[in-house]
Amino acid sequence: MRLAILDRGHSLGTKILFLLIRAASRQPVLDVIKLVKYRADFYGKPMQRVTQEAMRGPSAWPVADRELMAAFVAKTNDCEWCRKAHAAVAEEAYRDGAIVSAVLSDFETAPIEEPLRATLRMLCRLTREHAVNADDMRAVLAAGGSREQIEDALAICFSFNTIGRLADAFGFLLPGPKAFEAGAKYLLARGYR
Amino acid sequence: MTDIMKARKALVTRILEGDGSASRAQRRAAFNRTRCAEPLNTLIDKVTKQAYRVADEDIVAVKASGLSEDQIFEIVVCAAIGQAVRQHDSALAALEAATKKE
Protein backbone atom coordinates (compact mmCIF):
# COMPACT_ATOMS: atom_id res chain seq x y z
CA MET A 1 0.00 0.00 0.00
CA ARG A 2 1.09 3.57 -0.59
CA LEU A 3 1.04 4.51 3.09
CA ALA A 4 3.41 2.43 5.23
CA ILE A 5 1.25 3.07 8.30
CA LEU A 6 -1.56 1.01 6.70
CA ASP A 7 0.81 -1.93 6.25
CA ARG A 8 2.84 -1.75 9.42
CA GLY A 9 1.46 0.93 11.71
CA HIS A 10 -1.07 -1.13 13.66
CA SER A 11 -1.11 -1.66 17.41
CA LEU A 12 0.54 -4.76 18.86
CA GLY A 13 -2.84 -6.36 19.52
CA THR A 14 -3.87 -5.89 15.89
CA LYS A 15 -0.56 -7.29 14.65
CA ILE A 16 -1.20 -10.42 16.74
CA LEU A 17 -4.71 -10.62 15.25
CA PHE A 18 -3.18 -10.49 11.76
CA LEU A 19 -0.85 -13.37 12.67
CA LEU A 20 -3.86 -15.40 13.76
CA ILE A 21 -5.78 -14.55 10.56
CA ARG A 22 -2.81 -15.62 8.45
CA ALA A 23 -2.46 -18.86 10.39
CA ALA A 24 -6.16 -19.72 10.24
CA SER A 25 -6.80 -18.76 6.61
CA ARG A 26 -3.34 -19.62 5.23
CA GLN A 27 -3.75 -16.47 3.18
CA PRO A 28 -2.28 -12.99 3.47
CA VAL A 29 -4.33 -10.44 5.41
CA LEU A 30 -6.38 -8.50 2.86
CA ASP A 31 -5.54 -4.83 2.54
CA VAL A 32 -9.14 -3.87 3.30
CA ILE A 33 -8.73 -5.50 6.72
CA LYS A 34 -5.49 -3.58 7.28
CA LEU A 35 -7.32 -0.36 6.40
CA VAL A 36 -10.29 -0.85 8.71
CA LYS A 37 -8.04 -1.96 11.58
CA TYR A 38 -5.73 1.05 11.34
CA ARG A 39 -6.83 3.62 13.95
CA ALA A 40 -10.19 1.91 13.76
CA ASP A 41 -11.98 4.57 15.76
CA PHE A 42 -11.40 7.11 12.97
CA TYR A 43 -12.69 5.22 9.93
CA GLY A 44 -12.89 1.44 10.35
CA LYS A 45 -15.44 1.05 13.13
CA PRO A 46 -17.91 3.77 12.07
CA MET A 47 -17.67 2.68 8.41
CA GLN A 48 -18.18 -0.99 9.29
CA ARG A 49 -21.46 -0.03 10.98
CA VAL A 50 -22.64 1.61 7.75
CA THR A 51 -21.56 -1.29 5.56
CA GLN A 52 -22.96 -3.96 7.88
CA GLU A 53 -26.35 -2.24 7.79
CA ALA A 54 -26.26 -1.85 4.00
CA MET A 55 -25.02 -5.36 3.23
CA ARG A 56 -26.47 -7.50 6.02
CA GLY A 57 -29.20 -5.41 7.66
CA PRO A 58 -32.92 -5.76 6.86
CA SER A 59 -33.36 -5.17 3.12
CA ALA A 60 -35.66 -5.62 0.16
CA TRP A 61 -32.72 -7.32 -1.61
CA PRO A 62 -31.22 -10.72 -0.81
CA VAL A 63 -27.55 -10.80 0.20
CA ALA A 64 -26.51 -12.21 -3.19
CA ASP A 65 -28.06 -9.25 -5.05
CA ARG A 66 -26.45 -6.81 -2.61
CA GLU A 67 -22.99 -8.32 -3.16
CA LEU A 68 -23.61 -8.21 -6.90
CA MET A 69 -24.45 -4.50 -6.64
CA ALA A 70 -21.23 -3.93 -4.66
CA ALA A 71 -19.20 -5.63 -7.40
CA PHE A 72 -21.13 -3.69 -10.04
CA VAL A 73 -20.47 -0.29 -8.40
CA ALA A 74 -16.79 -1.25 -8.10
CA LYS A 75 -16.65 -2.21 -11.75
CA THR A 76 -18.29 1.08 -12.74
CA ASN A 77 -15.66 2.94 -10.69
CA ASP A 78 -12.90 0.86 -12.38
CA CYS A 79 -11.91 -0.47 -8.96
CA GLU A 80 -10.47 -3.89 -9.79
CA TRP A 81 -9.80 -4.86 -6.18
CA CYS A 82 -13.40 -4.36 -5.00
CA ARG A 83 -14.87 -5.83 -8.19
CA LYS A 84 -12.95 -9.07 -7.74
CA ALA A 85 -13.51 -9.21 -3.98
CA HIS A 86 -17.29 -8.76 -4.18
CA ALA A 87 -17.76 -10.79 -7.36
CA ALA A 88 -16.28 -13.65 -5.31
CA VAL A 89 -18.80 -13.05 -2.51
CA ALA A 90 -21.71 -12.78 -4.96
CA GLU A 91 -20.67 -16.01 -6.73
CA GLU A 92 -20.57 -17.80 -3.40
CA ALA A 93 -23.93 -16.32 -2.34
CA TYR A 94 -25.72 -17.17 -5.61
CA ARG A 95 -23.85 -20.46 -5.95
CA ASP A 96 -23.71 -19.43 -9.59
CA GLY A 97 -20.71 -17.72 -11.10
CA ALA A 98 -22.35 -17.37 -14.51
CA ILE A 99 -24.94 -14.83 -13.39
CA VAL A 100 -22.27 -12.64 -11.79
CA SER A 101 -20.06 -12.79 -14.88
CA ALA A 102 -23.02 -12.00 -17.12
CA VAL A 103 -24.01 -8.93 -15.11
CA LEU A 104 -20.47 -7.59 -14.84
CA SER A 105 -19.94 -8.19 -18.55
CA ASP A 106 -23.20 -6.56 -19.72
CA PHE A 107 -26.04 -6.06 -17.25
CA GLU A 108 -28.40 -5.00 -20.05
CA THR A 109 -28.40 -8.49 -21.56
CA ALA A 110 -27.81 -10.55 -18.40
CA PRO A 111 -30.60 -12.98 -17.35
CA ILE A 112 -31.89 -11.01 -14.35
CA GLU A 113 -35.25 -9.59 -13.26
CA GLU A 114 -36.20 -6.17 -14.61
CA PRO A 115 -36.31 -4.34 -11.24
CA LEU A 116 -32.69 -5.39 -10.61
CA ARG A 117 -31.62 -4.41 -14.13
CA ALA A 118 -33.27 -0.98 -13.84
CA THR A 119 -31.68 -0.48 -10.42
CA LEU A 120 -28.24 -1.34 -11.82
CA ARG A 121 -28.80 1.13 -14.65
CA MET A 122 -29.55 3.88 -12.13
CA LEU A 123 -26.54 2.93 -9.96
CA CYS A 124 -24.33 2.98 -13.05
CA ARG A 125 -25.38 6.52 -13.86
CA LEU A 126 -25.04 7.69 -10.27
CA THR A 127 -21.56 6.19 -9.97
CA ARG A 128 -20.32 7.33 -13.36
CA GLU A 129 -21.89 10.80 -13.50
CA HIS A 130 -22.01 11.41 -9.71
CA ALA A 131 -25.69 12.43 -9.81
CA VAL A 132 -29.09 11.21 -10.94
CA ASN A 133 -32.45 12.91 -11.40
CA ALA A 134 -36.11 12.15 -10.76
CA ASP A 135 -36.54 10.62 -14.23
CA ASP A 136 -33.82 8.06 -13.43
CA MET A 137 -35.78 7.10 -10.32
CA ARG A 138 -39.11 7.00 -12.17
CA ALA A 139 -37.54 4.56 -14.63
CA VAL A 140 -36.68 2.17 -11.80
CA LEU A 141 -40.18 2.48 -10.32
CA ALA A 142 -41.74 1.91 -13.76
CA ALA A 143 -39.68 -1.28 -14.14
CA GLY A 144 -41.24 -2.63 -10.93
CA GLY A 145 -38.63 -1.53 -8.40
CA SER A 146 -39.99 -0.26 -5.10
CA ARG A 147 -38.96 2.86 -3.23
CA GLU A 148 -37.58 0.59 -0.53
CA GLN A 149 -35.46 -1.32 -3.03
CA ILE A 150 -34.08 1.94 -4.41
CA GLU A 151 -33.15 3.27 -0.97
CA ASP A 152 -31.51 -0.01 -0.05
CA ALA A 153 -29.52 -0.04 -3.29
CA LEU A 154 -28.39 3.55 -2.66
CA ALA A 155 -27.06 2.52 0.75
CA ILE A 156 -24.91 -0.14 -0.92
CA CYS A 157 -23.78 2.39 -3.49
CA PHE A 158 -22.74 4.79 -0.73
CA SER A 159 -20.59 2.16 0.95
CA PHE A 160 -18.85 1.06 -2.21
CA ASN A 161 -18.39 4.53 -3.61
CA THR A 162 -16.41 5.13 -0.42
CA ILE A 163 -14.51 1.85 -0.15
CA GLY A 164 -13.58 1.69 -3.84
CA ARG A 165 -12.07 5.16 -3.74
CA LEU A 166 -9.97 4.22 -0.74
CA ALA A 167 -8.85 0.92 -2.31
CA ASP A 168 -7.59 2.77 -5.37
CA ALA A 169 -6.16 5.79 -3.56
CA PHE A 170 -4.23 3.71 -1.01
CA GLY A 171 -3.16 1.18 -3.65
CA PHE A 172 -4.60 -2.08 -2.32
CA LEU A 173 -2.47 -5.03 -3.43
CA LEU A 174 -4.42 -7.55 -5.52
CA PRO A 175 -4.12 -10.96 -3.86
CA GLY A 176 -4.61 -14.32 -5.57
CA PRO A 177 -8.10 -15.80 -6.09
CA LYS A 178 -7.78 -18.07 -3.04
CA ALA A 179 -7.45 -15.05 -0.75
CA PHE A 180 -10.64 -13.55 -2.21
CA GLU A 181 -12.39 -16.93 -1.87
CA ALA A 182 -11.42 -17.07 1.81
CA GLY A 183 -12.58 -13.47 2.25
CA ALA A 184 -15.89 -14.27 0.55
CA LYS A 185 -16.58 -17.18 2.90
CA TYR A 186 -15.78 -14.97 5.88
CA LEU A 187 -18.06 -12.13 4.71
CA LEU A 188 -20.96 -14.53 4.12
CA ALA A 189 -20.53 -16.18 7.49
CA ARG A 190 -19.70 -13.14 9.63
CA GLY A 191 -20.70 -10.03 7.70
CA TYR A 192 -18.87 -6.72 7.88
CA ARG A 193 -18.51 -6.34 11.65
CA MET B 1 -35.61 -1.58 5.02
CA THR B 2 -31.98 -0.59 5.25
CA ASP B 3 -31.38 2.59 7.22
CA ILE B 4 -27.81 3.79 7.09
CA MET B 5 -28.52 7.45 7.86
CA LYS B 6 -27.82 7.24 11.59
CA ALA B 7 -24.58 5.31 11.01
CA ARG B 8 -23.64 7.61 8.11
CA LYS B 9 -24.10 10.66 10.32
CA ALA B 10 -21.94 9.13 13.07
CA LEU B 11 -19.23 8.37 10.52
CA VAL B 12 -19.23 11.90 9.11
CA THR B 13 -19.27 13.45 12.58
CA ARG B 14 -16.29 11.32 13.62
CA ILE B 15 -14.08 12.09 10.65
CA LEU B 16 -14.87 15.81 10.60
CA GLU B 17 -15.29 16.74 14.24
CA GLY B 18 -13.34 14.16 16.21
CA ASP B 19 -9.65 14.23 17.04
CA GLY B 20 -7.17 13.74 14.23
CA SER B 21 -3.70 14.44 12.94
CA ALA B 22 -4.97 16.70 10.19
CA SER B 23 -6.75 19.86 11.33
CA ARG B 24 -10.54 19.95 11.29
CA ALA B 25 -10.28 22.65 8.61
CA GLN B 26 -8.12 20.39 6.40
CA ARG B 27 -10.50 17.46 6.84
CA ARG B 28 -13.58 19.57 6.12
CA ALA B 29 -11.94 21.10 3.03
CA ALA B 30 -11.19 17.62 1.67
CA PHE B 31 -14.72 16.44 2.47
CA ASN B 32 -16.25 19.46 0.71
CA ARG B 33 -13.74 19.29 -2.17
CA THR B 34 -12.74 22.88 -1.50
CA ARG B 35 -9.81 23.88 -3.70
CA CYS B 36 -6.50 23.83 -1.80
CA ALA B 37 -2.78 24.18 -2.51
CA GLU B 38 -0.94 21.73 -4.76
CA PRO B 39 0.02 18.93 -4.69
CA LEU B 40 -2.78 18.05 -2.25
CA ASN B 41 -5.39 19.53 -4.57
CA THR B 42 -4.51 17.05 -7.33
CA LEU B 43 -4.72 14.10 -4.95
CA ILE B 44 -8.13 15.14 -3.61
CA ASP B 45 -9.38 15.82 -7.11
CA LYS B 46 -8.38 12.33 -8.26
CA VAL B 47 -9.87 10.65 -5.17
CA THR B 48 -13.23 12.33 -5.76
CA LYS B 49 -13.44 12.09 -9.56
CA GLN B 50 -11.39 9.09 -10.71
CA ALA B 51 -9.70 7.35 -7.81
CA TYR B 52 -8.24 4.64 -10.05
CA ARG B 53 -5.96 7.35 -11.49
CA VAL B 54 -4.22 7.98 -8.14
CA ALA B 55 -0.56 7.05 -8.59
CA ASP B 56 2.38 6.50 -6.26
CA GLU B 57 3.74 9.90 -7.30
CA ASP B 58 0.62 11.68 -6.03
CA ILE B 59 1.17 10.35 -2.52
CA VAL B 60 4.94 10.89 -2.68
CA ALA B 61 4.41 14.52 -3.71
CA VAL B 62 1.97 15.19 -0.87
CA LYS B 63 4.36 13.62 1.64
CA ALA B 64 7.20 15.75 0.26
CA SER B 65 5.03 18.83 0.79
CA GLY B 66 5.17 18.17 4.52
CA LEU B 67 2.06 16.17 5.38
CA SER B 68 2.48 13.07 7.53
CA GLU B 69 1.08 9.68 6.54
CA ASP B 70 -1.56 9.98 9.25
CA GLN B 71 -2.66 13.35 7.88
CA ILE B 72 -2.83 11.94 4.33
CA PHE B 73 -4.81 8.94 5.58
CA GLU B 74 -7.39 11.19 7.20
CA ILE B 75 -7.61 13.64 4.31
CA VAL B 76 -8.10 10.88 1.71
CA VAL B 77 -10.78 9.22 3.88
CA CYS B 78 -12.59 12.57 4.18
CA ALA B 79 -12.39 13.22 0.42
CA ALA B 80 -13.77 9.76 -0.41
CA ILE B 81 -16.61 9.94 2.09
CA GLY B 82 -17.48 13.50 1.09
CA GLN B 83 -17.92 12.47 -2.53
CA ALA B 84 -19.96 9.39 -1.59
CA VAL B 85 -22.20 11.56 0.63
CA ARG B 86 -22.83 14.06 -2.19
CA GLN B 87 -23.79 11.26 -4.56
CA HIS B 88 -26.01 9.58 -1.96
CA ASP B 89 -27.78 12.85 -1.12
CA SER B 90 -28.27 13.65 -4.80
CA ALA B 91 -29.91 10.28 -5.36
CA LEU B 92 -32.15 10.51 -2.28
CA ALA B 93 -33.32 13.96 -3.41
CA ALA B 94 -34.08 12.57 -6.87
CA LEU B 95 -36.05 9.71 -5.32
CA GLU B 96 -38.00 12.15 -3.16
CA ALA B 97 -38.82 14.26 -6.23
CA ALA B 98 -39.91 11.18 -8.17
CA THR B 99 -42.24 9.93 -5.46
CA LYS B 100 -43.69 13.13 -4.04
CA LYS B 101 -47.44 13.51 -4.36
CA GLU B 102 -48.60 16.22 -6.76
Side-chain angles (χ1 to χ4, degrees):
Chain A
M1 281 196 279
R2 295 184 174 121
L3 295 178
I5 52 170
L6 297 180
D7 261 330
R8 299 185 295 278
H10 303 85
S11 67
L12 179 61
T14 303
K15 285 177 179 169
I16 292 169
L17 173 68
F18 289 171
L19 283 173
L20 294 173
I21 291 173
R22 275 198 291 272
S25 68
R26 297 179 187 170
Q27 297 296 327
V29 177
L30 294 173
D31 280 354
V32 71
I33 305 293
K34 294 180 186 173
L35 171 63
V36 298
K37 294 294 184 188
Y38 181 71
R39 290 178 49 203
D41 77 293
F42 183 80
Y43 165 76
K45 281 183 184 168
M47 185 66 199
Q48 280 178 294
R49 287 186 196 107
V50 175
T51 308
Q52 173 70 16
E53 176 67 17
M55 301 303 285
R56 297 293 182 270
S59 174
W61 300 103
V63 166
D65 287 351
R66 286 188 259 178
E67 292 290 345
L68 179 67
M69 287 182 211
F72 179 79
V73 168
K75 186 214 169 209
T76 308
N77 270 328
D78 287 317
C79 179
E80 186 181 9
W81 201 98
C82 292
R83 174 179 59 78
K84 286 186 172 175
H86 292 278
V89 189
E91 286 171 11
E92 186 81 15
Y94 281 120
R95 300 195 174 281
D96 178 2
I99 186 97
V100 178
S101 297
V103 167
L104 295 181
S105 170
D106 183 0
F107 72 93
E108 293 289 7
T109 58
I112 54 176
E113 300 289 327
E114 287 310 311
L116 177 57
R117 192 188 322 282
T119 300
L120 292 174
R121 196 178 293 128
M122 180 272 294
L123 294 181
C124 181
R125 182 158 190 198
L126 176 61
T127 301
R128 193 167 283 163
E129 300 179 22
H130 300 175
V132 284
N133 60 35
D135 286 341
D136 296 313
M137 296 302 180
R138 289 188 191 104
V140 181
L141 296 166
S146 66
R147 180 183 176 121
E148 185 181 353
Q149 283 178 315
I150 293 173
E151 287 194 31
D152 293 355
L154 294 177
I156 297 161
C157 197
F158 170 79
S159 277
F160 287 88
N161 269 321
T162 298
I163 297 165
R165 281 183 167 79
L166 297 181
D168 281 333
F170 293 137
F172 281 12
L173 188 70
L174 267 177
K178 285 194 184 307
F180 278 141
E181 284 170 23
K185 285 184 169 61
Y186 179 89
L187 284 177
L188 284 178
R190 304 281 301 275
Y192 291 78
R193 291 188 185 90
Chain B
M1 189 179 89
T2 304
D3 183 7
I4 64 162
M5 294 311 281
K6 190 175 162 194
R8 195 193 89 168
K9 186 178 178 194
L11 171 69
V12 171
T13 300
R14 172 62 190 93
I15 62 167
L16 294 183
E17 296 173 21
D19 291 339
S21 296
S23 69
R24 289 183 177 85
Q26 283 175 311
R27 284 180 267 154
R28 189 165 287 281
F31 183 92
N32 290 331
R33 211 173 64 190
T34 306
R35 189 165 181 81
C36 61
E38 293 294 355
L40 185 58
N41 194 64
T42 295
L43 176 61
I44 291 173
D45 202 50
K46 284 186 179 178
V47 170
T48 54
K49 291 180 186 164
Q50 294 171 305
Y52 65 89
R53 290 182 57 233
V54 174
D56 294 351
E57 302 80 61
D58 296 311
I59 302 285
V60 169
V62 172
K63 274 203 256 187
S65 76
L67 289 183
S68 70
E69 289 210 349
D70 270 306
Q71 289 172 320
I72 297 170
F73 163 67
E74 293 171 9
I75 287 168
V76 168
V77 164
C78 289
I81 292 173
Q83 181 61 29
V85 164
R86 281 188 291 279
Q87 293 179 203
H88 192 217
D89 285 346
S90 149
L92 290 175
L95 179 60
E96 192 61 35
T99 54
K100 98 178 155 193
K101 299 264 189 297
E102 293 299 330

